[in-house]
Amino acid sequence: MIIGLALTFLLGIANFALHSAVLKSGHPLIEQMPQSIHLLGGRLTLVAEFLVLLAAMLLVANGWETLAWAYGGYSALNAISAWLILTRRI
């Protein structure tokens, strides 16, 4: 369980870093997001990212260790999308 929590936490840090980089990239996709997202400088999406991480860590801590792997898959998809956005391939 401890390894699952540590893995989930480290992946969460990576997700926050990628998310912040995408928000600061100035990509046209960011400008197409609803205006309500931009009101807080994009922080609303970071709050949503935190809630996903919190839920994953709570579930892993309560015996759902396989959820750490699911969060790993979620993080991999985040990394791929961030790479596509940051390298302007989309």
Side-chain angles (χ1 to χ4, degrees):
M1 177 178 60
I2 300 297
I3 292 174
L5 275 174
L7 174 67
T8 304
F9 180 72
L10 292 174
L11 289 172
I13 292 172
N15 283 336
F16 274 102
L18 290 170
H19 198 117
S20 294
V22 167
L23 286 176
K24 293 177 183 174
S25 71
H27 194 278
L29 284 175
I30 303 302
E31 300 304 319
Q32 293 178 3
M33 292 172 64
Q35 190 62 29
S36 60
I37 300 293
H38 295 288
L39 291 177
L40 298 173
R43 289 188 184 97
L44 190 59
T45 57
L46 289 172
V47 169
E49 189 74 48
F50 171 75
L51 292 175
V52 170
L53 173 62
L54 180 64
M57 289 186 71
L58 287 172
L59 288 170
V60 169
N62 284 305
W64 293 44
E65 284 113 11
T66 55
L67 194 68
W69 289 105
Y71 192 78
Y74 167 77
S75 298
L77 290 175
N78 276 347
I80 292 168
S81 2
W83 175 73
L84 289 170
I85 291 171
L86 294 172
T87 59
R88 306 274 182 181
R89 296 182 191 269
I90 290 183

